[in-house]
Amino acid sequence: MVVLSKPAMEQFCLVKNSCKSTTLPFPGVPLIDLSKPDSKHLLVKACQEFGFFKVINHGVPSEFISKLESEAIKFFSLPLSEKEKSCPPDPFGYGNKRIGQNGDVGWLEYILLTTNPEFNYQKLQSVFGVTPEKFQGAVNDYISAAKKMACEILEQLAEGLKIQPKNVFSKLLMDEQSDSVFRLNHYPPCPDIQELHGRNLIGFGEHTDPQIISVLRSNNTSGLQIALKDGNWISIPPDQNSFFINVGDSLQVLTNGRFKSVRHRVLANSIKSRVSMIYFGGPPLSEKIAPLPSLVEGEDSLYKEFTWFEYKKSAYKSRLADNRLGFFEKIAAS
Ligand SMILES: C=C1C[C@]23C[C@@]1(O)CC[C@H]2[C@@]12CC[C@H](O)[C@@](C)(C(=O)O1)[C@H]2[C@@H]3C(=O)O
Ligand SMILES: O=C(O)CCC(=O)C(=O)O
Ligand SMILES: [Fe+2]
């Protein structure tokens, strides 16, 4: 058991269990059955209201999920000394407690990968020390299925918004040059949380995801919270058979702010370990990100045009909790 002294604990971010945050399950997270004919309208509504929803009938084979989860658990169960000598994140590789390059820390360890199998093959080889055929196979199968689901959702969203062609968003993920990322997070249990007198230990600090769309699946351990528009934090009950979808900053821009990128975070658990797998669907680096003309008609464009490369460069200089879109907002003329 890892016991942390008080000063060691304080390196990590603690958040108050204030009256603004609730640990009650929030009944309002939209649940969308992707196989139903009206799902496109419910998807649009969820992206406008929360930038977050849960999907069922998602089409991802359960054996892809269980294979990857068991490979991930095998890796995270290795001794820390072995994992740490493997491959420090650049940002890709194995990381422990440090998130990004700008001083963020969290109660987790992770593997961060691109979705390019060739690049990952070499990366995983240095992470594992041996050719990780089984792990690589599980990652590839899972990523392909998660990407397919993300594209289905993005196509339904285009239809729901009445934008043509319907692949206007999904083509960005389907592009060979798509700059998408895949992450496996492991949040070990932290028994010392009981000593924190009503405060919570941060597993992954609050942030929005910079990409277009994120597809998140976790085991049955709680921890994920989303912020509502009024700033209240809502705990999301885990569901290992469903997926949670986040609208990313780039989709907020493409829709001229109609869809909201959701602020979210993960709190550490005192008893159970949490394992999550997230596919972050992003555009090619050279892609221009700007509100779609059909969504600006009669309104002002809220954002300056930028390339995904420019946004990513700026995002990776920021701290997790920063408002990364701020630099790209147009200042309203007075
Ligand atoms: C602190 C950081 C970690 C992050 C890059 C950043 O500078 C700001 C955005 C962070 C984030 C959040 C969503 C994803 O987990 C992630 C991979 C991403 O694309 O943006 C992480 C970045 C990271 O962990 O490197
Ligand atoms: O691990 C999770 O459940 C969420 C993590 C997350 O938000 C991220 O990796 O961007
Ligand atoms: Fe995230």
Side-chain angles (χ1 to χ4, degrees):
M1 177 167 80
V2 187
V3 180
L4 292 176
S5 61
K6 198 157 173 271
M9 205 67 165
E10 276 161 7
Q11 288 175 44
F12 293 93
C13 197
L14 303 174
V15 282
K16 272 207 183 119
N17 238 345
S18 71
C19 54
K20 273 205 101 188
S21 105
T22 174
T23 49
L24 291 174
F26 178 61
V29 168
L31 169 64
I32 298 170
D33 180 340
L34 285 185
S35 65
K36 290 271 165 68
D38 64 340
S39 55
K40 52 179 181 289
H41 304 297
L42 298 177
L43 287 169
V44 167
K45 191 163 177 268
C47 290
Q48 291 177 168
E49 281 178 10
F50 300 104
F52 182 84
F53 52 92
K54 171 168 151 172
V55 291
I56 54 171
N57 283 324
H58 43 68
V60 177
S62 60
E63 62 273 21
F64 286 7
I65 301 171
S66 52
K67 242 194 335 180
L68 182 56
E69 186 169 312
S70 71
E71 287 299 312
I73 291 171
K74 248 196 276 169
F75 173 76
F76 289 127
S77 307
L78 292 172
L80 184 60
S81 56
E82 236 172 277
K83 289 180 288 187
E84 274 191 327
K85 67 177 183 242
S86 58
C87 184
D90 66 355
F92 303 111
Y94 169 76
N96 193 325
K97 299 196 176 67
R98 286 177 214 289
I99 302 174
Q101 314 290 316
N102 309 312
D104 287 290
V105 288
W107 187 253
L108 86 166
E109 56 179 340
Y110 59 86
I111 295 178
L112 192 57
L113 296 169
T114 69
T115 53
N116 175 337
E118 275 145 50
F119 177 89
N120 282 344
Y121 192 78
Q122 290 166 18
K123 191 50 82 177
L124 286 169
Q125 190 146 7
S126 37
V127 169
F128 284 82
V130 286
T131 310
E133 306 285 356
K134 233 171 129 192
F135 193 96
Q136 174 82 68
V139 168
N140 290 349
D141 287 347
Y142 181 86
I143 289 177
S144 308
K147 174 173 162 184
K148 192 164 165 231
M149 189 221 316
C151 289
E152 167 66 29
I153 291 171
L154 290 172
E155 288 180 12
Q156 290 201 24
L157 283 170
E159 286 184 325
L161 286 169
K162 301 192 172 54
I163 324 176
Q164 277 177 343
K166 75 170 183 182
N167 71 349
V168 63
F169 304 126
S170 63
K171 69 176 186 206
L172 304 173
L173 274 55
M174 291 307 291
D175 194 301
E176 258 185 38
Q177 304 292 319
S178 146
D179 181 41
S180 297
V181 180
F182 179 66
R183 169 167 220 142
L184 283 166
N185 289 330
H186 172 225
Y187 303 86
C190 182
D192 308 319
I193 292 176
Q194 277 132 7
E195 310 293 308
L196 293 175
H197 308 293
R199 287 179 300 170
N200 286 303
L201 179 69
I202 286 292
F204 203 114
E206 65 172 276
H207 65 283
T208 59
D209 294 342
Q211 293 81 2
I212 295 173
I213 190 166
S214 315
V215 173
L216 185 158
R217 187 266 170 192
S218 78
N219 65 353
N220 257 349
T221 302
S222 62
L224 182 65
Q225 294 191 322
I226 62 163
L228 298 183
K229 285 176 188 157
D230 62 5
N232 272 336
W233 285 101
I234 297 298
S235 296
I236 305 298
D239 179 351
Q240 59 186 358
N241 300 313
S242 305
F243 284 84
F244 293 97
I245 311 295
N246 296 343
V247 168
D249 295 340
S250 303
L251 190 55
Q252 176 168 326
V253 174
L254 290 165
T255 59
N256 202 29
R258 215 162 134 178
F259 293 174
K260 304 286 178 243
S261 64
V262 63
R263 198 155 266 270
H264 56 287
R265 67 183 184 189
V266 179
L267 303 181
N269 190 293
S270 65
I271 304 161
K272 287 167 69 190
S273 87
R274 175 178 167 92
V275 177
S276 59
M277 35 187 89
I278 307 118
Y279 163 80
F280 301 92
L285 288 170
S286 59
E287 189 69 31
K288 290 205 172 91
I289 310 291
L292 295 177
S294 56
L295 295 179
V296 191
E297 271 166 20
E299 291 173 27
D300 291 329
S301 163
L302 299 178
Y303 303 96
K304 302 171 199 161
E305 181 180 288
F306 51 85
T307 62
W308 170 240
F309 175 78
E310 287 163 335
Y311 190 64
K312 205 176 142 178
K313 202 165 114 195
S314 147
Y316 275 72
K317 285 190 197 144
S318 68
R319 296 287 300 260
L320 213 42
D322 290 347
N323 169 19
R324 281 173 275 284
L325 276 180
F327 289 123
F328 300 90
E329 279 162 10
K330 280 190 181 167
I331 315 285
S334 52

